[in-house]
Structure formats: structure tokens, C-alpha cells
Amino acid sequence: MGNRRSMENNRRMERRRGTEKRISPKERQKKKRKRRRKRIILVCVELFVLAGLCIAGYGMLKLGKLNINILDQNKLEVYKDTGPYTNIACFGLDSRNGELEGGVQSDSIMIVSINNETNDVKLISVYRDTLLQQADGSYSKANSAYNRGGPEEAISLLNRNFDLDIRNYVSVNFNALVDVIDALGGLEIEMTQEEAYYSNGYAAETSRIVGQEMVKIDEVAGTQLLDGVHAVSYARIRYTKGNDFKRTERQREVLQKTVEKAKKADLLTLNKIVDKVFPQISTSLTIKDMFGYVANIMEYNIVETTGFPYALTTSEEVRDHSGSYVVPIDFTGNVTQLHQNIFSESGYEPSNKVQQIHNDIIYLTGITEDTSAMQTTFEGDSQ
């Protein structure tokens, strides 16, 4: 048996030698070159895969610095799917002790709406003092939901009151923006003399909170290069004309300018931002989600920023409530306009829940559709 196998092997070797003898030297060279090319291609593929794994591993390491918080989707009160749009709730927290997941008021509330077909992005600020329905059916200011139940309750508030389908959030200690803006080399912002004056006033407190030295800016009108402390302080001013409405406009301006500058930053700068800021962020986005957004970051364009409600007034005479509230005038009309502006839904019909909230707000405040609306948009707002 062994001898037969040996004989068969010998025959195969002889046939191979015979074939090789019939191949010309030129053809033999060509075969060698082909084999060499195959080896080079194989090595390149291996190096490419290895590089991809290294990049993915580096990304995982960086994203691991985030505080990822998985939400109970059953508690988010998602109304209905809004089609090719991804809507994310963003909360800026006035967190002095690092709280990110509740027990602190949301200093700013924004809805970031991404059109996945065009990569257009719209930013909608929800005025924090807006009278809205809470999870237990009571009515209070919009920013109290985060304090009561963290991001789950804050997201459900937006979905319940506005017929939305928000499933994810990003919360950031607003002071983390100081580190981002400083790493980017500051922001050029056109200011009034009054804004420059108040920016210095707020900067004294901001600098103490973040542990940085405060250097005064010139209290004159014009464009100034603001460091992180002054840019964040500028975004917090609420004692000029427009009060909180103008304040949310400044917040959107600072955010938009920060995004625009970050898109032009080099990798070393972005790496510095990630290391400093990621530990100060809480989010429900998965690592897969974030890789997707990072891959498209250069394609996203902020095309509109605005504040909600569109038609409103303020009141200190809310039944069984104390304090001053932002009161939507014609709540269903405001929600209809929101859907038209974000999703281009003409003739949107608000849900029964929104209709109920509309009636409750009239009962609590006495403010009807005939009430005169306050001015809430100012120069620079792109509504």
C-alpha cells in the first residue's frame, strides 16, 4: 500500500517536471511576477485590516470615556415614527457637582433634528420656563423634568407634549464647553456693549466654577475673540433685552460656532477635546450610533436654529402655581408649526394628548388664542 502511494507521488512529480520543461523562460518569469503580486496584495489587505482594527480599537477606547446610560424605551412615551429624521434631546446642565443623570435642573433644552436624507440639522431650543405637562399629569416648568426623573423623564416630557419620537439624549455639564472652546482657540462673536459688560460679570462666577483665571474683555461693542470662560458666560446672559429668549439664541449661536470650528480642527486638537470633555458627557447613544455620526460629521450642516414655543407670553398668575412661567399661546398651533418646520408636515393634526394639554393650559392661565404674543426672535436668530 505504501509502495503504491510512493509510485503515484513519483508519477505526479514527473508530470509536473515535464510540464515545467515545456514552459518557456519568459512564461516562467510571468508566473513568478503573478505570484509576487498576489503576495503583495495579500500583505496590503492584511495591513489594511490591521489598521482598521487599530482605528476601531482607538475609537472604542475614546468612546469608553463617555457615561453611557441605557434607557427604558417603554418610559419614553414615543408618539409616532417621524420617518427619515433622527431626533435627539440635548440637555445642558448647570451641574456644580458633576451630576449628569438627574437631581439637577437642565439649564438648556434643545432638540437636534437630523434629516438623514439631506444631512441638514435643525436646532430647536425649548424655553426652560415653559409650562408643560409632567409625567404625573401635573404642570410645571420644562426644566424640572430632568431634576425629577433624569433623562428618561425629560425625554418623555418632549415626546408627550410635542408628538415626537425622541429615543436618545446627550447631556453635558455646560461648563465642559469651556474646555472645548479653549481647545479650539476661542470663538469670534459679535457683541453689544451691554453683552460685553454682562459677559465679564458672568465670567467671574464661571471662572470660579471651572477653576480658571478670568481675564476681562473690553466692554465695547464689536467682534471679540472669546475664550471658553467668556463664551460660556455670554451664552448664559439673560439680563439684556429679550431675557431668556435672547439667552437661548446666544446658546445656539455658541453651539453652532463651536461645531463649525471643530469641523476644521486637526486630529491633535480633537483628541485633546475628547480626553477632557467625554468624561463630562452622559448619553444613551450606543458606540455603533456614535461611529455612524462621526463618519458623517463633515456632511452635517446646521440650517436652522429657533426657539419654542413660537407664540407665547409670560405670566405669574398660573392657577395653583407660584413663580413666572412661559405660556404657549394656542398650544396646538405651536405644535403644528413645530412639525411643519422640522418635518415639513403640512396640515399636521396634533394628537388627543396635545389637544388636552392645550385646554389645560388655557384653564390654568386664562391665556387664549386671542392673547397678544411677545417678541421672541431677535437679530441673528435664523427662525
Side-chain angles (χ1 to χ4, degrees), residues 1 5 61 78 86-87 181 230 244 269 273 286 295 312 366 369:
M1 188 75 175
R5 283 181 184 167
L61 177 67
V78 171
T86 297
N87 303 302
I181 293 165
H230 278 90
D244 197 42
T269 299
I273 290 171
T286 65
L312 60 82
E369 293 91 332

mmCIF file of all heavy atoms in Angstrom, residues 1 5 61 78 86-87 181 230 244 269 273 286 295 312 366 369:
data_model
loop_
_atom_site.group_PDB
_atom_site.id
_atom_site.type_symbol
_atom_site.label_atom_id
_atom_site.label_comp_id
_atom_site.label_asym_id
_atom_site.label_seq_id
_atom_site.Cartn_x
_atom_site.Cartn_y
_atom_site.Cartn_z
ATOM 1 N N MET A 1 0.846 -1.220 0.000
ATOM 2 C CA MET A 1 0.000 0.000 0.000
ATOM 3 C C MET A 1 0.870 1.254 0.000
ATOM 4 O O MET A 1 0.670 2.177 -0.761
ATOM 5 C CB MET A 1 -0.884 -0.024 1.250
ATOM 6 C CG MET A 1 -1.931 1.064 1.286
ATOM 7 S SD MET A 1 -3.281 0.705 0.184
ATOM 8 C CE MET A 1 -4.351 2.065 0.573
ATOM 9 N N ARG A 5 1.443 4.280 -3.057
ATOM 10 C CA ARG A 5 1.339 5.734 -2.867
ATOM 11 C C ARG A 5 2.612 6.432 -3.308
ATOM 12 O O ARG A 5 2.586 7.496 -3.913
ATOM 13 C CB ARG A 5 1.082 6.066 -1.390
ATOM 14 C CG ARG A 5 -0.359 5.826 -0.975
ATOM 15 C CD ARG A 5 -0.531 6.204 0.464
ATOM 16 N NE ARG A 5 -1.872 5.903 0.928
ATOM 17 C CZ ARG A 5 -2.247 5.888 2.171
ATOM 18 N NH1 ARG A 5 -1.352 6.162 3.120
ATOM 19 N NH2 ARG A 5 -3.492 5.611 2.514
ATOM 20 N N LEU A 61 -11.681 52.925 22.699
ATOM 21 C CA LEU A 61 -11.011 53.418 23.902
ATOM 22 C C LEU A 61 -11.490 54.828 24.243
ATOM 23 O O LEU A 61 -11.795 55.126 25.401
ATOM 24 C CB LEU A 61 -9.491 53.425 23.676
ATOM 25 C CG LEU A 61 -8.630 53.988 24.819
ATOM 26 C CD1 LEU A 61 -8.715 53.092 26.038
ATOM 27 C CD2 LEU A 61 -7.179 54.137 24.370
ATOM 28 N N VAL A 78 -42.860 57.569 23.315
ATOM 29 C CA VAL A 78 -42.687 57.879 21.889
ATOM 30 C C VAL A 78 -44.058 57.918 21.226
ATOM 31 O O VAL A 78 -44.863 56.994 21.380
ATOM 32 C CB VAL A 78 -41.787 56.822 21.212
ATOM 33 C CG1 VAL A 78 -41.789 57.003 19.700
ATOM 34 C CG2 VAL A 78 -40.366 56.915 21.773
ATOM 35 N N THR A 86 -33.810 61.755 12.487
ATOM 36 C CA THR A 86 -33.335 61.309 13.802
ATOM 37 C C THR A 86 -33.405 62.501 14.737
ATOM 38 O O THR A 86 -32.809 63.552 14.466
ATOM 39 C CB THR A 86 -31.886 60.791 13.725
ATOM 40 O OG1 THR A 86 -31.842 59.646 12.865
ATOM 41 C CG2 THR A 86 -31.386 60.390 15.109
ATOM 42 N N ASN A 87 -34.142 62.360 15.818
ATOM 43 C CA ASN A 87 -34.317 63.450 16.787
ATOM 44 C C ASN A 87 -33.649 63.067 18.108
ATOM 45 O O ASN A 87 -33.914 62.000 18.651
ATOM 46 C CB ASN A 87 -35.806 63.718 17.000
ATOM 47 C CG ASN A 87 -36.513 64.039 15.698
ATOM 48 O OD1 ASN A 87 -36.145 64.980 15.003
ATOM 49 N ND2 ASN A 87 -37.512 63.242 15.338
ATOM 50 N N ILE A 181 -14.054 75.012 23.850
ATOM 51 C CA ILE A 181 -13.793 76.290 23.172
ATOM 52 C C ILE A 181 -12.341 76.711 23.331
ATOM 53 O O ILE A 181 -11.716 77.219 22.392
ATOM 54 C CB ILE A 181 -14.765 77.367 23.694
ATOM 55 C CG1 ILE A 181 -16.194 77.012 23.253
ATOM 56 C CG2 ILE A 181 -14.375 78.755 23.197
ATOM 57 C CD1 ILE A 181 -17.287 77.770 23.986
ATOM 58 N N HIS A 230 -15.456 83.141 28.777
ATOM 59 C CA HIS A 230 -16.309 84.249 28.343
ATOM 60 C C HIS A 230 -17.376 83.794 27.348
ATOM 61 O O HIS A 230 -18.489 84.341 27.336
ATOM 62 C CB HIS A 230 -15.460 85.372 27.743
ATOM 63 C CG HIS A 230 -14.859 86.276 28.766
ATOM 64 N ND1 HIS A 230 -13.627 86.052 29.320
ATOM 65 C CD2 HIS A 230 -15.347 87.389 29.385
ATOM 66 C CE1 HIS A 230 -13.357 86.998 30.210
ATOM 67 N NE2 HIS A 230 -14.384 87.821 30.269
ATOM 68 N N ASP A 244 -34.667 85.542 28.631
ATOM 69 C CA ASP A 244 -34.307 84.151 28.372
ATOM 70 C C ASP A 244 -34.430 83.790 26.897
ATOM 71 O O ASP A 244 -33.764 82.871 26.423
ATOM 72 C CB ASP A 244 -35.203 83.217 29.199
ATOM 73 C CG ASP A 244 -34.618 81.820 29.306
ATOM 74 O OD1 ASP A 244 -33.397 81.703 29.511
ATOM 75 O OD2 ASP A 244 -35.367 80.841 29.153
ATOM 76 N N THR A 269 -6.015 68.373 18.116
ATOM 77 C CA THR A 269 -6.960 69.207 18.860
ATOM 78 C C THR A 269 -8.194 68.410 19.244
ATOM 79 O O THR A 269 -8.671 68.480 20.384
ATOM 80 C CB THR A 269 -7.364 70.425 18.015
ATOM 81 O OG1 THR A 269 -6.200 71.201 17.716
ATOM 82 C CG2 THR A 269 -8.367 71.302 18.758
ATOM 83 N N ILE A 273 -9.820 67.474 22.965
ATOM 84 C CA ILE A 273 -11.209 67.738 23.343
ATOM 85 C C ILE A 273 -11.861 66.475 23.885
ATOM 86 O O ILE A 273 -12.540 66.496 24.919
ATOM 87 C CB ILE A 273 -12.000 68.282 22.132
ATOM 88 C CG1 ILE A 273 -11.525 69.702 21.790
ATOM 89 C CG2 ILE A 273 -13.500 68.267 22.405
ATOM 90 C CD1 ILE A 273 -12.086 70.245 20.499
ATOM 91 N N THR A 286 -25.457 54.431 21.470
ATOM 92 C CA THR A 286 -24.536 53.301 21.506
ATOM 93 C C THR A 286 -23.242 53.678 20.780
ATOM 94 O O THR A 286 -23.200 54.667 20.022
ATOM 95 C CB THR A 286 -25.147 52.073 20.815
ATOM 96 O OG1 THR A 286 -25.323 52.370 19.412
ATOM 97 C CG2 THR A 286 -26.489 51.703 21.432
ATOM 98 N N ALA A 295 -18.725 59.397 11.399
ATOM 99 C CA ALA A 295 -18.402 59.155 9.983
ATOM 100 C C ALA A 295 -19.032 60.221 9.079
ATOM 101 O O ALA A 295 -18.481 60.564 8.029
ATOM 102 C CB ALA A 295 -18.883 57.766 9.571
ATOM 103 N N LEU A 312 -45.986 83.069 22.308
ATOM 104 C CA LEU A 312 -46.030 82.895 23.763
ATOM 105 C C LEU A 312 -46.174 84.215 24.478
ATOM 106 O O LEU A 312 -46.045 85.284 23.889
ATOM 107 C CB LEU A 312 -44.750 82.189 24.230
ATOM 108 C CG LEU A 312 -43.405 82.886 23.931
ATOM 109 C CD1 LEU A 312 -43.073 83.968 24.948
ATOM 110 C CD2 LEU A 312 -42.272 81.890 23.876
ATOM 111 N N GLY A 366 -55.713 81.125 31.778
ATOM 112 C CA GLY A 366 -56.659 82.073 31.207
ATOM 113 C C GLY A 366 -56.167 82.710 29.926
ATOM 114 O O GLY A 366 -56.779 83.641 29.394
ATOM 115 N N GLU A 369 -56.137 81.924 22.540
ATOM 116 C CA GLU A 369 -55.542 82.190 21.228
ATOM 117 C C GLU A 369 -55.560 83.671 20.878
ATOM 118 O O GLU A 369 -54.802 84.133 20.010
ATOM 119 C CB GLU A 369 -56.286 81.415 20.134
ATOM 120 C CG GLU A 369 -56.137 79.905 20.216
ATOM 121 C CD GLU A 369 -57.240 79.248 21.042
ATOM 122 O OE1 GLU A 369 -57.781 79.934 21.954
ATOM 123 O OE2 GLU A 369 -57.560 78.080 20.795
#
